[in-house]
Amino acid sequence: MALTLSDVDRFEAARPRLEAIAYRMLGSASEAEDAVQETYLRWQAADVERIEVPEAWLTKALTNLCLNQLTSARARRETYTGQWLPEPLLEGDPMMGPAETAEQRESVSYAVLVLLERLSPNERAVYVLREAFAYSHREIAEILDLSEAASQQIFHRAKKHVAQGRAGATSGGTGIGVDQAAARRVVEEFLAAATSGQTQPLIELLTADAIAVGDGGGKVPARASAFEGALAVAKFLRGLFKPAQAKRDLAGGSPDLYATTANGGPAVVAVVDGRVFGIMCLEQTREGIVAVRSQVNPDKLERATERWAAGGFGTPVLAQAL
């Protein structure tokens, strides 16, 4: 049946929420957009007049699509070149969705998105719907064709897994939900240490069990396994930020380094001629920086580059840095 303008408007009103759900479910903005578009096609093919609660119908259709995608994604990621990291979203990206509560901000933080990869598809769906969007267990049960009791059990298990992964990494005022001014201070201090040519200033910023990991997707060189421990991470970062022609050739020029936020946390953004070459997400705790996660896979930076072109990110902390 052909959709009326009212039916189209109803879907478009739901689109931001659907995109925010899909992004948390999939960890990929491009895959989230595809899932939402497929949901629209299903909406278009449905007998809309017989749908009593459009929001619930759309959420169920989208969630089932995401569950199918997650199942196939697991197989693909087993053959992924190097480490797989989520696609980061820059400050103000509407796909991050609601951020009124600590739970909503936490659910879209880069650190939690990484942890959500460890959950089963059903655990991830229940966690996202409950924690980030405050769906009741009755509503989740209807969406996933579960009992309420099963939804509660799955949520308890998922939340426990996330909490275990977050142990010792609770935000201490400069992590989740940090503002631009605070993010810039964190990044400026980090870059000053990283470009000092010495390891000790970096070690002082890092926690003893800090890690560094990068995702190049086989298109940009990135270590297959994480660096672990403050000394190993500090040595890696010292070398990474040492200027070299080979690095400029790889990036297509000498990047400018900016301070902003990605997924609510401090981030270094490397930009070459208006193109985002890399986003380094810093996970900050009361004790120091516990994780440095770098996304340099160009396929996962297209949305960031589009958003960068819209402007509003200020001046670089370091110009022509490498």
Side-chain angles (χ1 to χ4, degrees), residues 143-316:
I143 290 169
L144 297 176
D145 295 324
L146 302 167
S147 68
E148 269 190 73
S151 175
Q152 291 170 342
Q153 289 171 357
I154 292 170
F155 177 67
H156 176 75
R157 189 165 62 242
K159 194 165 185 178
K160 182 179 180 181
H161 290 329
V162 172
Q164 288 172 341
R166 294 287 286 157
T170 303
S171 174
T174 53
I176 299 158
V178 66
D179 62 26
Q180 284 284 350
R184 189 176 182 90
R185 288 194 296 272
V186 172
V187 171
E188 285 177 346
E189 186 176 21
F190 172 78
L191 288 177
T195 57
S196 68
Q198 300 176 326
T199 57
Q200 191 57 37
L202 279 163
I203 289 174
E204 292 172 2
L205 292 182
L206 300 166
T207 62
D209 58 351
I211 64 165
V213 60
D215 178 351
K219 299 184 177 183
V220 174
R223 181 182 164 100
S225 58
F227 291 91
E228 299 181 359
L231 180 58
V233 172
K235 288 181 176 180
F236 160 68
L237 291 171
R238 183 189 63 188
L240 181 66
F241 284 93
K242 184 178 180 179
Q245 186 60 47
K247 296 173 187 175
R248 292 190 286 273
D249 292 342
L250 179 64
S254 186
D256 294 331
L257 301 181
Y258 290 80
T260 185
T261 62
N263 295 74
V268 180
V269 181
V271 180
V272 179
D273 295 330
R275 172 178 57 87
V276 175
F277 174 75
I279 299 176
M280 180 177 282
C281 299
L282 308 178
E283 185 180 357
Q284 177 85 0
T285 71
R286 292 181 180 88
E287 290 73 32
I289 296 172
V290 70
V292 179
R293 300 183 178 94
S294 302
Q295 183 55 261
V296 290
N297 182 344
D299 294 341
K300 298 182 183 181
L301 296 171
E302 292 178 0
R303 184 179 179 92
T305 294
E306 291 174 3
R307 181 148 189 83
W308 197 266
F313 291 94
T315 58

Side-chain angles (χ1 to χ4, degrees), residues 99-159:
E100 287 80 20
T101 68
E103 290 78 13
Q104 289 171 339
R105 293 190 294 273
E106 175 90 1
S107 70
V108 80
S109 73
Y110 206 65
V112 167
L113 286 179
V114 170
L115 290 173
L116 292 183
E117 287 294 309
R118 303 180 186 179
L119 304 183
S120 71
N122 263 11
E123 286 174 339
R124 187 163 185 166
V126 172
Y127 182 88
V128 167
L129 292 172
R130 180 66 178 162
E131 193 79 348
F133 296 90
Y135 280 85
S136 69
H137 284 294
R138 178 182 60 79
E139 292 170 318
I140 295 172
E142 292 175 355
I143 290 169
L144 297 176
D145 295 324
L146 302 167
S147 68
E148 269 190 73
S151 175
Q152 291 170 342
Q153 289 171 357
I154 292 170
F155 177 67
H156 176 75
R157 189 165 62 242
K159 194 165 185 178

Side-chain angles (χ1 to χ4, degrees), residues 1-3 38-48 51 57:
M1 295 179 65
L3 294 179
E38 180 61 30
T39 303
Y40 176 74
L41 295 177
R42 295 191 178 194
W43 174 251
Q44 194 175 41
D47 187 353
V48 174
I51 297 174
W57 189 95

Side-chain angles (χ1 to χ4, degrees), residues 7-17 37 40 43 58:
D7 295 330
V8 174
D9 288 344
R10 186 173 294 170
F11 182 87
E12 290 304 321
R15 184 185 289 274
R17 178 179 56 83
Q37 185 58 29
Y40 176 74
W43 174 251
L58 291 169

Side-chain angles (χ1 to χ4, degrees), residues 21-128:
I21 291 173
Y23 173 69
R24 284 168 167 83
M25 286 279 289
L26 301 173
S28 164
S30 59
E31 291 180 5
E33 289 174 337
D34 289 345
V36 172
Q37 185 58 29
E38 180 61 30
T39 303
Y40 176 74
L41 295 177
R42 295 191 178 194
W43 174 251
Q44 194 175 41
D47 187 353
V48 174
E49 291 183 359
R50 299 184 63 181
I51 297 174
E52 295 181 4
V53 186
E55 179 183 280
W57 189 95
L58 291 169
T59 303
K60 182 167 186 171
L62 174 77
T63 301
N64 285 328
L65 285 167
C66 289
L67 288 173
N68 292 337
Q69 181 75 2
L70 283 172
T71 301
S72 61
R74 284 195 162 197
R76 291 199 311 274
R77 287 170 193 172
E78 287 178 1
T79 60
Y80 190 82
T81 302
Q83 297 277 340
W84 189 96
L85 290 175
E87 179 177 346
L89 297 181
L90 293 178
E91 169 75 19
D93 193 311
M95 193 173 280
M96 284 194 285
E100 287 80 20
T101 68
E103 290 78 13
Q104 289 171 339
R105 293 190 294 273
E106 175 90 1
S107 70
V108 80
S109 73
Y110 206 65
V112 167
L113 286 179
V114 170
L115 290 173
L116 292 183
E117 287 294 309
R118 303 180 186 179
L119 304 183
S120 71
N122 263 11
E123 286 174 339
R124 187 163 185 166
V126 172
Y127 182 88
V128 167

